[in-house]
Amino acid sequence: MSRIIEHDLDRITERSVKYLDHIRNKRFFITGGTGFIGKWICMALDRINQATSANIEAVLLSRRSELPLVIKNLKSNFELHQGDVIDFDFPKGDFDYIIHAATDTKNDVQGSLTHFESIVFGSKRVLDFAASLSPKRLLYLSSGAIYGELSSEHTHVNESYYGGPNCLDYKQIYGESKRAAELLCAVYSNKDGLSFSIARCFAMIGPLMALDTHYALGNFISNASYDEIINVKTNGIAYRSFIYIQDLIVWLFTILVFGESGKAYNVGSEEAISLKDLANLTAKVCNSQHECQFGKRAPKERINYVPDTSYARDELDLNLEVSLEEAIMKTFTYQRSVLHNNI
């Protein structure tokens, strides 16, 4: 395991002190456990186990026939439960916490009916399972996409904003599906008394993240890692912000344990930066020898995608420890070590 990941896991463990007693000797059921966030959740739980003898158990739902190497090599004996989120067989035994993190955000499924079914029907299946158990808490990982397209005047969006995606635009299927899944959480809470919290995740970055998908910063870091020109297709006036994976995991565990039941919390950074400035910052941090290139057209959609995180900050005392510049450097350094087999 790389030194960067090791350091982040140590820091996550050190920061877990406020919720450690609530997850000690507990059993987790995690969907999406083999995805980017899921891997980090598992690695964090394993490191907490090793450092504190917390005796945390976890069962991971995945379509895979075996666990990925990064999880298989962990010292904790986490169990794979093979199945599709839409129709998986319920695993045996009781669970204290359920983390529903299963979502495919790759470009090849964006806008597809399969994507809608996976998010909505998959969430219903998870909620049916949760209702049969009455766990302490279910945490649903939603998305900032539920707010829809925001105008250029709407710089930071908070949880009290009730706008949404254009339901007549098929490209909004991801955000609309996430909204429907959130509604299902509320329905099951009303019907079965299920305790749940929602983490509306905005853009993120960190080691193990696929850098060849539709995330701008990931693409920029990938370009720099391969010594390629950072090429922005638009004029770069759209604004984004990014939370580093170490901070993200701490936020998720905190919302799981201390978040108010039935409430949603934005998860991300309030530090807005234009894509033009982000590309130039990435080139600088990664010591690129190329000048960034920009297109002339304005972005067609999503001018701003930046959260207001005052709920998480004021109610749960959450903050960011890793700056954007450090997040870029850590992710870039990790990616370069992967390319050169120096892990």
Side-chain angles (χ1 to χ4, degrees):
M1 190 176 290
S2 79
R3 293 180 180 178
I4 289 174
I5 292 179
E6 292 279 3
H7 175 267
D8 285 325
L9 292 175
D10 286 342
R11 215 33 221 119
I12 290 171
T13 301
E14 291 167 0
R15 297 170 69 183
S16 72
V17 62
K18 61 183 178 181
Y19 50 76
L20 177 59
D21 286 344
H22 295 268
I23 63 175
R24 188 186 298 277
N25 299 313
K26 298 301 187 289
R27 192 167 186 240
F28 283 70
F29 179 67
I30 303 169
T31 72
T34 57
F36 170 58
I37 297 177
K39 288 175 182 175
W40 274 94
I41 290 173
C42 293
M43 291 191 299
L45 291 176
D46 174 73
R47 183 56 56 90
I48 292 170
N49 270 346
Q50 307 314 315
T52 68
S53 300
N55 191 35
I56 298 167
E57 298 180 3
V59 175
L60 318 178
L61 176 67
S62 176
R63 291 189 296 265
R64 295 171 179 249
S65 59
E66 61 180 32
L67 292 171
L69 196 60
V70 69
I71 298 178
K72 189 181 294 185
N73 288 340
L74 299 178
K75 295 180 180 178
S76 299
N77 187 24
F78 293 156
E79 176 186 341
L80 172 67
H81 186 76
Q82 189 175 7
D84 192 291
V85 69
I86 292 178
D87 58 6
F88 67 93
D89 293 330
F90 293 170
K92 296 179 180 179
D94 291 327
F95 291 88
D96 301 286
Y97 293 111
I98 296 176
I99 300 179
H100 181 26
T103 295
D104 193 344
T105 58
K106 294 181 180 178
N107 285 327
D108 59 349
V109 296
Q110 290 287 353
S112 72
L113 185 58
T114 302
H115 204 192
F116 178 89
E117 292 172 344
S118 177
I119 294 174
V120 179
F121 298 161
S123 295
K124 184 180 185 305
R125 185 63 177 170
V126 172
L127 288 164
D128 281 336
F129 176 53
S132 72
L133 296 173
S134 298
K136 293 180 180 296
R137 178 64 57 86
L138 177 144
L139 176 66
Y140 176 53
L141 270 60
S142 186
S143 168
I146 67 106
Y147 297 114
E149 303 295 340
L150 300 172
S151 68
S152 56
E153 292 78 23
H154 208 137
T155 58
H156 294 71
V157 63
N158 65 27
E159 296 86 343
S160 62
Y161 176 74
Y162 297 122
N166 178 2
C167 62
L168 298 180
D169 180 0
Y170 76 92
K171 291 180 292 185
Q172 302 297 316
I173 196 166
Y174 178 71
E176 201 66 64
S177 301
K178 285 292 192 179
R179 283 173 62 87
E182 287 194 15
L183 178 60
L184 281 174
C185 290
V187 170
Y188 275 75
S189 178
N190 178 68
K191 180 172 71 77
D192 301 302
L194 179 68
S195 177
F196 76 94
S197 293
I198 293 173
R200 291 176 179 162
C201 300
F202 282 70
M204 62 197 71
I205 197 66
L208 300 181
M209 185 176 188
L211 302 182
D212 58 351
T213 56
H214 57 284
Y215 295 110
L217 181 52
N219 297 159
F220 298 165
I221 293 174
S222 178
N223 291 149
S225 299
Y226 286 98
D227 196 29
E228 299 171 344
I229 296 172
I230 295 176
N231 193 336
V232 184
K233 295 179 181 179
T234 68
N235 58 11
I237 66 169
Y239 279 81
R240 299 289 184 268
S241 66
F242 299 86
I243 183 171
Y244 185 62
I245 188 64
Q246 179 201 130
D247 288 318
L248 176 70
I249 297 301
V250 172
W251 282 42
L252 294 181
F253 281 136
T254 303
I255 294 170
L256 171 70
V257 172
F258 297 117
E260 182 180 332
S261 181
K263 191 165 187 176
Y265 296 86
N266 285 341
V267 175
S269 168
E270 292 185 343
E271 183 186 347
I273 184 171
S274 71
L275 290 185
K276 183 174 183 178
D277 289 343
L278 180 66
N280 288 325
L281 176 63
T282 304
K284 177 183 176 182
V285 170
C286 301
N287 197 28
S288 173
Q289 301 304 304
H290 308 288
E291 288 191 10
C292 300
Q293 295 184 356
F294 303 91
K296 294 183 179 180
R297 69 173 178 84
K300 295 180 181 179
E301 53 192 24
R302 195 162 287 178
I303 300 297
N304 293 327
Y305 189 59
V306 181
D308 177 329
T309 59
S310 55
Y311 278 7
R313 183 175 59 252
D314 297 342
E315 296 181 17
L316 302 176
D317 195 28
L318 287 168
N319 55 70
L320 300 184
E321 184 172 287
V322 181
S323 69
L324 176 58
E325 188 168 333
E326 184 181 359
I328 294 172
M329 175 55 75
K330 288 162 77 77
T331 308
F332 170 74
T333 302
Y334 170 80
Q335 182 65 17
R336 291 283 288 187
S337 69
V338 171
L339 293 177
H340 293 89
N341 298 313
N342 292 328
I343 292 182

